[in-house]
Amino acid sequence: MAVSETSQSPRRTFRLGRAGIGVLITATTLSALMVLLVLAAWRNDHLISSDKGSATAEVLSAGQLRSAVRYVTPDGETHNPKLGVLYPTNLTAGERIRVEYRRSDPDLVRVEGRDVRVALVPALSVLAVVWLIGLPALWLLSRARMRVDTD
């Protein structure tokens, strides 16, 4: 027994509506995550700047998202932050770099001269791509839903 086309129309309208909501929720969630990423970077920079120490560090391993460093603070203690150094791009293993760290929390460390501005371009790029894909998808789903409603 075949289901009539008229009974399929409300289901299809419902599915298209749900798909649109899914696209909107996904795009909004990714946008919120990018905003939170920038705010977290700004907060870390603020914490470091408010209680700043600096040292020369050795890059132990280097990657685009995480680079491990080791440095010695003026009190003679060696630090190897578990989460690596903030803003790790363009570092090479074995390289000696200047770092800035929070004296009261030496595991919070960034490459000297780098700050939240380094995170802005990637975050804005992700936002642009998300909405360049999301808005046309929402528009197409909306048009398809209208077509189903008028059939």
Side-chain angles (χ1 to χ4, degrees):
M1 177 174 209
V3 178
S4 71
E5 213 171 287
T6 55
S7 68
Q8 285 290 345
S9 183
R11 275 191 203 149
R12 185 159 182 181
T13 300
F14 178 76
R15 287 184 187 143
L16 289 169
R18 291 283 273 238
I21 290 169
V23 168
L24 188 60
I25 287 172
T26 301
T28 302
T29 301
L30 289 172
S31 298
L33 288 173
M34 288 303 102
V35 169
L36 287 173
L37 175 103
V38 170
L39 289 174
W42 176 82
R43 179 185 172 274
N44 285 338
D45 285 346
H46 176 72
L47 289 172
I48 291 170
S49 295
S50 67
D51 187 23
K52 183 169 40 176
S54 60
T56 300
E58 178 186 356
V59 179
L60 302 175
S61 67
Q64 287 298 317
L65 300 177
R66 183 183 180 285
S67 292
V69 297
R70 178 177 47 220
Y71 65 97
V72 179
T73 53
D75 61 4
E77 196 168 326
T78 300
H79 295 277
N80 183 352
K82 290 179 187 174
L83 298 177
V85 65
L86 299 173
Y87 317 118
T89 54
N90 300 324
L91 297 178
T92 15
E95 181 179 10
R96 296 187 64 74
I97 59 170
R98 293 291 297 169
V99 294
E100 298 170 336
Y101 61 92
R102 185 171 189 205
R103 287 184 298 189
S104 60
D105 179 13
D107 281 349
L108 185 57
V109 60
R110 68 180 175 203
V111 176
E112 187 175 75
R114 297 183 186 176
D115 59 18
V116 69
R117 290 173 289 184
V118 173
L120 288 177
V121 172
L124 291 174
S125 298
V126 169
L127 282 173
V129 169
V130 163
W131 289 104
L132 282 172
I133 293 170
L135 289 175
L138 286 170
W139 181 77
L140 288 171
L141 288 167
S142 172
R143 288 196 34 116
R145 191 172 179 195
M146 285 190 288
R147 265 196 315 273
V148 169
D149 285 344
T150 58
D151 286 345

